[in-house]
Structure formats: structure tokens, C-alpha cells
Amino acid sequence: MKDLYFSELRRFRWIAMAAAVANQLLLIFLNRIGDLLQNSYFHGLLLLIAMVSAVALAIFQVGSYRKPSQWAWLIHRPLSTSRIFGALALSATTILSLVILLPMLIVLISTDILTTRVADLHHYVSLLHVLAFSMMAWMAGAHACISRSRVAIAVLFAPLLLALHMVSVFVLLLPVSLALGWLSWITLKSFRANREGPIHGSGTLLLTTLPLQIGLFLLCLVLVRFLMVSGGILLGTDPLNTDYPPKGGLIETERSEPSEEFVLGLAESDDPRAESWRTQMPLLEPLRFGPWLKRFPVRHQFSKLPLPSNWYDKERNIFWSFSHDRMLFVGRNPESGVAQGVFGMNGGGDDTPFASVPVVAEHGDLLTTNTLYGIDEQEQSLFKRFELSEGEIFTALPQRELGRLLLLTNQRLIVLREDRRAAATIPPLLLDWEVNLPDGPQHMESVSVAELMDGWLVSFVYSDGMRQIGLSQFPDIVPPWQQVIWIDTDGNTEVVAERRIEPDFPVLQRSFWWLSPTLEVLTTWPEVALDKGLTWPMKLKLVPAASSQWIAAALLILLSVIAAWWWLRKSRIPVSRQWLWIASCAVIGLPALLSMFLLEPRERQA
């Protein structure tokens, strides 16, 4: 094993050293043009480069043994297959550590020791995750190189879906370890003399097919979407490919100006004031926004959300960056790099930590999940401006429009005004009016607000909603609808109009749950189970309300079972294994059928 390990290192030593130097120079360059540790775009790009490099290494390293003569030379060495796999995997780990981990570690340590930039513990742990995901990519590439089908590389999608999540790096250790161990076992079992033969053992077969089925599920989803969109364009029925959106549909509402949205909503109103409001709308400039703050950062999060967690004090020339270790803002002079102290809950120089990671909004606003603060740069202080009730969470950044401050939460829309009579740099906020959300935040598309002479109009539009994460939109199909509410000068609310909106797209195109209900639930479960700082929790629903969804799912599963039975009926595959495949098709559906075609050699009986 040791000889094979060092032999592999000698094979790739020059390429590895050249790649390590190139990676080191790239990281230094990126860290020069910006703060690499605080840039979420670079994090994703570097992880992608690392995983692609690992797949390339697997193709060149393991793929070079794919020829029958070379494979026989490798597999029939005086070593067990597990030790052969261990030598190749260990050499790959060493090479990837040299090429990927070491340059990143050098940049991180130098940033931590030689500069005043923020370098936290989660940055160091993130490097282990990058190496782990790189090894997963290598495992997937190696597995594909020695499998019956190159499509086997799709097993990589399973760890990406089940383990690649923007949660705490310490919480992520468990799913990443399980995913890496899972792929390692699959790849180990693919190291066998007869690569074209069937996979031995029911347990190994199930562990091998499930990640492949998840990858095929994603492939089917992409292909079905493409075919539906392309077919709609060719037939001229795609609502997004018309000169004008369909009348009365959701696309028409979404594309309309906020004033036009009110006109559409009030068209069927029985309120005697509706016609007057409709005529006023072209003269007004309503505001439209929505629950677009999908999540708050969590402490020690893997990578960084594209939300500002720092700000620049132009007067004092201080750049404040948030430290997850200290839960404080750490200041530095961007020109000289000199440290400028800390900024805590009580302002500059205070080391009282924040309870959660805040988001810095415009106009000196600082937001936690349920509290709005104001930053007084002159006094270097922090003021609590508004606090939500228990269980209430902000779902949008503060909107300063219409002479008001508008706050959207998971329970209500709050409109505040600043008390200009108060002698304070940051004036206190006074409640102007508020209105409860008609149906919560889960399926809200947008909210529009218009100020009239004697009150306000608010329009809520609901549909399938903006799914925060996952493969598609919410699996439960919601009929689109709009509600318009009138708020008088005393803050009293009255529903003045409601209308149903046409969904534009057929039910089967609005959610692809029907392709494989089991895999949809399986891939959505981590989104529900892990703490991702979501502004409204994901709900795991086994069956959508739309009957056509589960009817289509049942028909697809039935066709998959029939096709599997027909394909297996005259093969030499043992009966127990045939029933295992048929049961898999009954549970998983089409992805199980496709995985059977790829993994199971079919030898017909004489």
C-alpha cells in the first residue's frame, strides 16, 4: 500500500506543485483586490474550482487504469482491493491538500496574523469542508471512471443536496462526514475485478443506487422543465413568450406597475369608492416590495450570505466588519490597516456582544431577526428603534418611501413615521398604522402600498410564493389571488376587494413533485431540519393539494414498475434482486428505473 501511495504521488508531483503555486497566486491576487474572507461570490467560485479540480484528478488518476490490461495490473496486485482503494484515495487527499488546502490555509493564516481583517474560527473549519467536498468530487469521479456507465458521476449530487448547506460549520460536520463516508463506501465497492458485473450485496446496491437516483432525479427535473418550456414556445402557448401576458393572469399582475396592480385589484370591487381610487392611481407612485429577505445569517455560517454585515464610517475612515467569534463589529482603517477598536450593542468601544448576527441595511439601519437598530455615526452609538413581538421576524429590509418607514414581518405590515420634533440625531419612531397579513408570508409574492388623500390602500398578491431553497417552488400548489385593503386615517382596516388570478401555467409545470415524491421529500428534508436562519420555516408536505400532481405521480410510478418488470422478466438476474428493483421503482419511480438501466447488466436467458 505504501509503495502504491508514493508511486501515485510521484506520478502527479510536478502537476500538483504547479497547480498549488497557481492557486496560491490566484488567492493572493483575489485577497489583494478585496477581502476574500468576506466575499460570498469568491467562496462559491473557489469551491467550484476545487471540486472541478478534484474530478479532473480522479479522471486522470483512476481513469488511467480503466483499460482492461491496466485495470488487471492494478486490481491483481498483492493487495486487497480496500488497500488499493485506500492508497489511491490517500494519495488524492495528499495532492488535493497540497493544491487546494495549503494555499488557502497560508492566505488565511497570513490574513489572521499579519493584518487587522476579521479571520474567525469558522473560516478555518470551512477549509476542512472545502477539502471534504473536494474528496467527494474525487470519489464521484473515481466511481464514474470504473463503473459501467459514465453517468454514475451523478452520485455527486447526493452529497451536494444533503450536505452542502449554509449553516454553522460545526453543525455541518455531521452531514459532511456522513456524505463523505457514504461516497467512500460506494467507491470502495466499485473497485472489483469485474467492473461490468452486477453490484454484490443488497445493502451495497441500495447505497450505490440512491445517490445515483437523486442525481437522475435532478437530471429528469431539468429535462422536463426544458421540454415543457420548449414545447410551449413551439406551440405558442408559453405565457412568458407572448407579446402581451395573458389577461387576468399572474404574469400580468407581476409585470404591471404598482398603480396598475391596484387598478386590476379594484376592477371587481363593490365598494362605491373603488372607481374613484382607480382614477387616482395613474397620478400616484405606489411602492411595491415583498418578503425578499429570505434568511438571516447564522453564527459561524459556512460561506457568507449576499447580505451586508459591515459598513463604512466615511467621517472617521473606519470600515466595520462583523466577527462571528466575538459577535462584535471590528473596525480598521482601510488605508493604513490600523485597528480601530470594536462596536458592540452599546456602540463604539463597547464589547457587549450581539445575540445574533445582524444585517446592515441602508440609511444607518441595523437589523436582527426581530429588532431594528439605528447607527449614530456621529456619536458612535446604537439605538433600538423598533422591536417586534415574540415569534415575529422581519421578512424584508426596511423601506423608506412615501415619507414613512415600512417594515414587513411574517405577521404584519408596519408603517412608522419619524418624530421630527424630538431633539435626537436618530428620531424615535411612531406607529402610523399596521395591517395583518391576510395569509401569512409563505406564499406571498408582493405587497404594494399607495397613499391617498384620506388614507391608504394596500394590495397583497399571493401565489405559490418564493421558495427560499430547494429544487423548485413550494410543492403545495396555491391558487393565485389578490386582496386590497383600505386603511383610514385612524388606522382602521377594511377589505375592499378580492379577486382570483389565473395561474398562467398548468399545475404539472408549477411543481415537479410528481417526478418522484419520495426523492422530493428526501431532498427537502435537510432544508427543514437544519437551522438556516430562514425568515419563515420550510414545511415538509408529503402530498400537494392539487389532485393532478399525485395522479401524475401515481401513473409515472405505475409505468416505472411495469417497465422494470418487463425489462427484468427474462433476464438472468436473481428473482430476489428483481423484486428489489421493482420495489425500488414503486417507491422512487422514474429515477429508480433509469438507475436500473445504468447499473444492472442485462443478460437474457437462453
Side-chain angles (χ1 to χ4, degrees):
M1 178 177 175
K2 182 174 66 174
D3 293 337
L4 181 58
Y5 167 72
F6 285 111
S7 172
E8 292 298 308
L9 292 183
R10 285 192 295 269
R11 284 179 64 197
F12 295 97
R13 63 185 184 277
W14 297 116
I15 296 177
M17 286 189 286
V21 171
N23 189 26
Q24 186 72 78
L25 294 176
L26 174 64
L27 292 174
I28 293 174
F29 173 77
L30 294 178
N31 205 38
R32 284 286 188 180
I33 63 176
D35 192 347
L36 189 59
L37 300 182
Q38 302 294 327
N39 194 311
S40 58
Y41 171 77
F42 286 146
H43 295 173
L45 178 62
L46 293 175
L47 180 60
L48 177 62
I49 293 174
M51 296 184 69
V52 170
S53 302
V55 172
L57 174 62
I59 293 173
F60 283 104
Q61 183 183 12
V62 182
S64 63
Y65 295 109
R66 184 170 175 82
K67 292 182 180 180
S69 59
Q70 293 173 331
W71 182 252
W73 175 85
L74 175 68
I75 210 69
H76 292 297
R77 294 170 68 93
L79 289 173
S80 63
T81 54
S82 60
R83 294 174 69 85
I84 294 173
F85 165 75
L88 295 180
L90 187 59
S91 64
T93 304
T94 305
I95 293 171
L96 292 175
S97 298
L98 173 65
V99 173
I100 296 172
L101 181 63
L102 183 59
M104 290 183 175
L105 186 60
I106 291 174
V107 170
L108 178 56
I109 293 176
S110 61
T111 301
D112 192 5
I113 296 177
L114 303 178
T115 73
T116 55
R117 291 179 175 178
V118 173
D120 290 329
L121 177 60
H122 73 274
H123 292 127
Y124 287 93
V125 181
S126 294
L127 298 187
L128 297 178
H129 289 305
V130 172
L131 180 61
F133 280 108
S134 300
M135 282 306 301
M136 291 182 202
W138 182 89
M139 295 289 178
H143 174 65
C145 286
I146 55 180
S147 294
R148 295 182 66 247
S149 173
R150 303 292 197 282
V151 183
I153 199 173
V155 299
L156 180 59
F157 287 106
L160 293 182
L161 284 173
L162 302 179
L164 184 56
H165 297 282
M166 295 181 68
V167 297
S168 168
V169 292
F170 303 106
V171 174
L172 201 61
L173 288 172
L174 178 60
V176 166
S177 300
L178 292 176
L180 181 57
W182 187 4
L183 274 182
S184 300
W185 176 263
I186 292 172
T187 311
L188 168 62
K189 291 302 179 180
S190 63
F191 273 70
R192 49 205 171 98
N194 184 11
R195 296 175 303 177
E196 300 297 325
I199 298 173
H200 299 294
S202 299
T204 302
L205 178 63
L206 292 175
L207 289 175
T208 303
T209 56
L210 184 56
L212 178 60
Q213 289 164 1
I214 292 176
L216 292 172
F217 172 56
L218 293 180
L219 179 62
C220 291
L221 190 149
V222 172
L223 289 177
V224 170
R225 277 182 172 174
F226 173 76
L227 292 175
M228 284 188 169
V229 172
S230 302
I233 293 174
L234 290 174
L235 296 174
T237 59
D238 186 80
L240 292 174
N241 193 47
T242 56
D243 294 334
Y244 297 95
K247 291 293 183 182
L250 182 62
I251 296 176
E252 179 189 39
T253 303
E254 291 177 337
R255 289 183 178 179
S256 65
E257 295 294 329
S259 58
E260 296 172 343
E261 177 187 318
F262 279 102
V263 172
L264 293 172
L266 294 169
E268 301 177 5
S269 175
D270 296 330
D271 194 287
R273 299 164 292 181
E275 186 61 32
S276 173
W277 291 333
R278 293 182 65 192
T279 57
Q280 295 180 51
M281 282 302 156
L283 306 176
L284 304 177
E285 294 184 0
L287 167 69
R288 176 189 287 163
F289 66 113
W292 302 331
L293 180 58
K294 303 175 183 180
R295 57 199 296 184
F296 277 89
V298 296
R299 190 178 185 186
H300 297 306
Q301 182 172 275
F302 181 60
S303 189
K304 188 176 183 293
L305 292 177
L307 291 172
S309 58
N310 46 54
W311 86 90
Y312 176 59
D313 185 346
K314 186 176 181 180
E315 182 178 345
R316 293 177 174 81
N317 195 22
I318 301 176
F319 190 82
W320 296 98
S321 300
F322 192 78
S323 168
H324 286 236
D325 286 350
R326 305 171 69 179
M327 293 300 284
L328 300 168
F329 287 96
V330 178
R332 65 185 296 269
N333 187 307
E335 295 180 359
S336 63
V338 176
Q340 299 293 324
V342 296
F343 193 104
M345 285 289 294
N346 298 318
D350 175 65
D351 58 358
T352 304
F354 287 85
S356 60
V357 182
V359 173
V360 181
E362 296 179 347
H363 308 291
D365 294 328
L366 190 144
L367 209 65
T368 61
T369 54
N370 65 344
T371 307
L372 172 66
Y373 296 92
I375 301 173
D376 187 346
E377 294 186 357
Q378 294 182 359
E379 300 293 334
Q380 288 285 286
S381 57
L382 191 68
F383 293 94
K384 181 187 292 186
R385 306 199 70 189
F386 194 83
E387 186 173 9
L388 302 178
S389 58
E390 185 177 356
E392 197 171 9
I393 300 174
F394 289 109
T395 58
L397 294 175
Q399 304 292 314
R400 293 176 179 269
E401 298 287 347
L402 307 174
R404 303 292 193 278
L405 180 64
L406 292 86
L407 305 176
L408 185 63
T409 76
N410 60 341
Q411 298 179 10
R412 53 184 171 153
L413 170 65
I414 307 167
V415 178
L416 307 165
R417 66 179 185 275
E418 294 183 336
D419 186 3
R420 296 296 182 181
R421 297 171 298 178
T425 306
I426 300 180
L429 296 173
L430 303 176
L431 179 64
D432 204 354
W433 53 269
E434 64 180 13
V435 58
N436 293 329
L437 303 185
D439 195 23
Q442 279 84 358
H443 305 288
M444 182 190 295
E445 294 284 347
S446 63
V447 54
S448 299
V449 182
E451 183 180 12
L452 303 177
M453 294 292 294
D454 54 349
W456 300 76
L457 283 175
V458 179
S459 169
F460 294 97
V461 176
Y462 281 83
S463 180
D464 297 335
M466 297 182 60
R467 181 167 184 171
Q468 303 162 71
I469 40 182
L471 302 177
S472 60
Q473 288 189 330
F474 286 89
D476 49 327
I477 306 300
V478 178
W481 62 288
Q482 179 185 3
Q483 184 180 91
V484 182
I485 299 177
W486 160 255
I487 299 97
D488 62 22
T489 53
D490 296 325
N492 300 314
T493 62
E494 177 188 358
V495 177
V496 295
E498 277 191 5
R499 72 174 179 120
R500 291 294 174 184
I501 303 174
E502 293 298 324
D504 294 322
F505 290 98
V507 172
L508 295 183
Q509 198 170 348
R510 293 164 64 191
S511 172
F512 294 92
W513 173 91
W514 53 275
L515 283 175
S516 179
T518 302
L519 293 183
E520 169 70 22
V521 172
L522 178 62
T523 53
T524 306
W525 177 77
E527 319 290 358
V528 179
L530 297 173
D531 179 15
K532 294 190 157 189
L534 303 180
T535 53
W536 65 84
M538 289 284 293
K539 294 182 179 180
L540 194 63
K541 293 193 176 182
L542 300 180
V543 180
S547 59
S548 57
Q549 284 273 321
W550 57 264
I551 291 175
L555 290 175
L556 192 58
I557 288 175
L558 180 61
L559 291 175
S560 299
V561 170
I562 293 174
W565 171 82
W566 181 85
W567 194 84
L568 293 168
R569 60 192 175 95
K570 291 185 178 181
S571 67
R572 295 182 179 179
I573 301 173
V575 175
S576 59
R577 195 179 183 92
Q578 292 184 25
W579 281 110
L580 181 63
W581 278 115
I582 291 174
S584 178
C585 291
V587 175
I588 304 296
L590 180 61
L593 179 66
L594 297 177
S595 67
M596 182 187 70
F597 292 155
L598 294 173
L599 295 179
E600 201 67 59
R602 188 191 186 196
E603 297 180 2
R604 299 184 66 86
Q605 295 178 354

